[in-house]
């Protein structure tokens, strides 16, 4: 019989256990700190959060989709509105679609005028603030940061005025065509 090695002498339980290194005081403190700080993350139900995120994403996509209906106005080759096709795809009559377009046209006119007035109001407040301000680097940065707010109001007004023009003319006009038109410029 061959002589037993040191591992065989200790017995089978200790022979299968991996050898452990002794940690020093700093290692023990670091390990304890990591364990303590990571406790909230260990308690986080990651799988459940992932399933819920997928559910919310699917619900959002389902709500965004309108089954059985096509969105928007149908456009013919000459970029005019095809009211008959749009009414058919929306499941309403042409006269009802014309009433809805008229309501939307009035709403876009209101929004255009309100946005235009708010743009001028914001611009006047901005100019008043700049006129009485002590000029420094900080006030120049604030002045530059507020300029996009004024521009946003004017752009929103222009967008609504363009939509109003498209509904008045019953055709998909570009912004350049709207700016060059001989018809009244202001929304009505």
């Amino acid at each position: 019989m061959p002589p037993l090695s040191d591992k065989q002498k200790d017995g089978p339980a200790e022979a299968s256990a991996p050898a452990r290194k002794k940690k020093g005081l700093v290692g023990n403190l670091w390990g304890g700190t990591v364990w303590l700080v990571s406790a909230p993350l260990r308690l986080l139900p990651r799988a459940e959060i992932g399933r819920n995120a997928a559910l919310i994403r699917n619900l959002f996509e389902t709500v965004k989709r309108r089954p059985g209906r096509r969105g928007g106005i149908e456009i013919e080759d000459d970029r005019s509105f095809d009211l008959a096709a749009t009414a058919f795809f929306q499941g309403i009559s042409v006269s009802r679609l014309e009433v809805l377009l008229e309501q939307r046209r009035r709403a876009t006119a209101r929004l255009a005028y309100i946005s235009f007035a708010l743009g001028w109001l914001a611009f006047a407040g901005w100019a008043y603030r700049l006129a009485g301000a002590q000029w420094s680097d900080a006030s120049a940065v604030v002045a530059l940061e507020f300029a996009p707010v004024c521009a946003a109001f004017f752009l929103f007004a222009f967008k609504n005025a363009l939509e109003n023009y498209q509904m008045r003319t019953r055709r998909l006009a570009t912004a350049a065509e709207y700016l060059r038109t001989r018809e009244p410029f202001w929304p009505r």
Side-chain angles (χ1 to χ4, degrees):
M1 182 177 209
L4 295 174
S5 68
D6 290 335
K7 285 186 180 179
Q8 290 173 341
K9 287 180 191 174
D10 292 339
E14 290 184 18
S16 64
R20 288 192 169 172
K21 290 184 179 178
K22 270 193 153 182
K23 291 183 182 179
L25 179 63
V26 174
N28 284 336
L29 285 175
W30 178 252
T33 305
V34 169
W35 179 83
L36 186 64
V37 170
S38 67
L41 294 177
R42 286 193 313 269
L43 298 175
L44 206 63
R46 286 183 223 128
E48 188 175 337
I49 290 172
R51 283 192 308 271
N52 288 338
L55 173 67
I56 291 170
R57 187 174 27 257
N58 290 338
L59 289 173
F60 182 72
E61 289 172 1
T62 302
V63 168
K64 262 188 356 186
R65 254 190 332 246
R66 293 174 70 179
R69 286 189 173 185
R70 294 170 67 170
I73 302 280
E74 295 297 315
I75 306 296
E76 293 181 0
D77 291 336
D78 63 347
R79 294 190 337 205
S80 62
F81 292 177
D82 188 355
L83 296 181
T86 303
F88 174 76
F89 286 124
Q90 297 297 326
I92 58 176
S93 67
V94 175
S95 61
R96 177 68 182 145
L97 178 63
E98 287 176 346
V99 167
L100 291 173
L101 278 174
E102 186 63 24
Q103 288 174 350
R104 178 68 182 152
R105 185 193 59 76
R106 284 194 303 270
T108 56
R110 252 189 327 271
L111 282 171
Y113 285 119
I114 289 170
S115 302
F116 192 65
L118 287 174
W120 277 113
L121 186 65
F123 180 76
W126 181 60
Y128 178 75
R129 172 86 167 107
L130 289 179
Q134 289 281 348
W135 281 100
S136 66
D137 292 341
S139 62
V141 169
V142 170
L144 287 175
E145 288 175 345
F146 191 71
V149 173
C150 298
F153 281 120
F154 289 121
L155 288 174
F156 189 67
F158 181 77
K159 174 193 165 285
N160 282 295
L162 175 61
E163 285 180 13
N164 183 277
Y165 175 75
Q166 290 172 343
M167 284 182 261
R168 278 187 289 151
T169 60
R170 299 282 200 259
R171 82 187 260 302
L172 191 63
T174 64
E177 291 171 345
Y178 173 56
L179 291 173
R180 290 191 307 255
T181 187
R182 299 258 185 241
E183 293 184 29
F185 180 79
W186 295 102
R188 39 186 170 116

